[in-house]
Amino acid sequence: MLQWIDTHCHLDHRLYHADVKQVLEDAKRAGIARMVIPGADPRDLDRALQLCAHHEELYFAVGVHPLDAHRFDHAFLQRHIQHPKCVAVGECGLDYFQRQGVSIDKVRQKEVFCAQIELALAYNKPLIVHIREASDDAYAILKSYPHARGVLHCFNGDGILLNLRENFYYGIGGVATFKNAKHLQKTLAQIPLERLVLETDAPYLTPHPFRGTRNEPKYTALIAQQVAQILNIEPAHLAHTTNTNALTLFGLAPLAKVS
């Protein structure tokens, strides 16, 4: 059985509180050998720490999602960034998507994004970057930090972001399986395979044909099947390359050889 790495799954989310043990068992049976829990809401960090302490295949990041920019606390993140299982800063970035009843403070988002980039640089950590309807501004900020590196989470297919491929990887998840994701599917071929990593963004963005249900790390293999088909490569080649990319990016423990 092929092994896979889910580089972005919110296992600290409340939707897993009741059955996270079963979720992890299902992931293991599906060949998911490593998983990274991104930081989004600082209130969930304790949960991520507990999970990582009890499951060797789990790692975490410290960060604040742009929609939670008002919760940013530099000292709080700094306290945990040197934890041996902390592998990144984020998910941080910009989100300008207009939601009913939610005001977007672009200035504050940019300030918090820059602060997290600087934190990552100070501790030599990669970034997990969230960009939604803000590609131009995010690109400009990331280009202003030439030593910043990381992954563009849930890559949206925007051409301007392909210019970051020297320092950044591209996270491909369930959206690649959606019937209306033709633009992303076409853009995939423009990304060097050596810059791709796989992710689920669980519990969000569940891949076809399970849309409408809770996403889980076990679906990484399903996403991989679609990506391999789009790129016309063997799943084993995709597994080897994306796993190597993830191990390199996050400094994860090597995978055990499977006979």
Side-chain angles (χ1 to χ4, degrees):
M1 180 175 64
L2 295 176
Q3 296 184 90
W4 305 98
I5 297 176
D6 184 353
T7 62
H8 196 112
C9 50
H10 298 273
L11 292 172
D12 52 351
H13 194 283
R14 59 178 175 77
L15 289 177
Y16 299 113
H17 286 186
D19 66 342
V20 69
K21 183 177 179 181
Q22 184 63 52
V23 169
L24 290 171
E25 289 177 356
D26 290 345
K28 185 176 182 179
R29 279 196 290 270
I32 317 307
R34 300 282 183 273
M35 289 158 271
V36 177
I37 304 172
D41 186 335
R43 295 174 298 182
D44 295 329
L45 183 58
D46 282 346
R47 176 71 174 168
L49 288 166
Q50 292 172 14
L51 288 169
C52 290
H54 292 93
H55 300 279
E56 62 179 2
E57 71 273 25
L58 298 184
Y59 297 82
F60 75 95
V62 293
V64 180
H65 190 282
L67 295 182
D68 289 310
H70 59 286
R71 301 189 192 281
F72 177 71
D73 182 336
H74 185 279
F76 177 79
L77 299 185
Q78 196 172 34
R79 278 201 302 274
H80 299 285
I81 197 169
Q82 295 189 76
H83 188 287
K85 280 210 159 182
C86 178
V87 296
V89 172
E91 67 185 280
C92 56
L94 303 176
D95 191 322
Y96 295 170
F97 180 69
Q98 293 295 326
R99 298 163 177 83
Q100 186 175 6
V102 178
S103 60
I104 303 297
D105 187 342
K106 294 183 181 180
V107 173
R108 182 58 178 161
Q109 285 195 19
K110 291 177 183 178
E111 291 173 348
V112 171
F113 186 21
C114 290
Q116 291 182 88
I117 294 173
E118 291 165 9
L119 182 66
L121 289 170
Y123 287 90
N124 192 28
K125 299 286 187 182
L127 294 160
I128 299 173
V129 182
H130 172 107
I131 303 170
R132 188 171 186 187
E133 297 196 5
S135 293
D136 289 344
D137 281 357
Y139 175 77
I141 288 173
L142 290 171
K143 287 297 286 185
S144 71
Y145 291 94
H147 298 294
R149 61 188 179 90
V151 57
L152 304 184
H153 154 59
C154 194
F155 176 55
N156 59 20
D158 282 0
I160 190 173
L161 299 177
L162 293 174
N163 295 317
L164 295 170
R165 60 182 174 270
E166 183 175 342
N167 287 2
F168 284 84
Y169 293 80
Y170 297 82
I172 307 299
V175 174
T177 72
F178 296 176
K179 294 180 180 178
N180 62 352
K182 301 300 182 185
H183 175 66
L184 173 60
Q185 293 167 0
K186 289 180 180 178
T187 305
L188 267 178
Q190 300 177 45
I191 305 172
L193 191 58
E194 291 72 23
R195 306 309 290 182
L196 284 182
V197 294
L198 300 176
E199 60 179 39
T200 59
D201 199 21
Y204 313 107
L205 299 176
T206 310
H208 176 80
F210 299 104
R211 291 187 72 178
T213 65
R214 183 186 67 175
N215 200 1
E216 296 184 23
K218 67 181 179 182
Y219 292 136
T220 307
L222 182 61
I223 294 165
Q225 290 174 9
Q226 177 70 7
V227 172
Q229 183 176 338
I230 292 170
L231 297 178
N232 193 28
I233 61 176
E234 290 296 323
H237 181 42
L238 181 67
H240 173 75
T241 306
T242 57
N243 288 346
T244 299
N245 295 344
L247 293 170
T248 301
L249 172 63
F250 293 117
L252 309 180
L255 304 185
K257 294 187 180 298
V258 178
S259 57

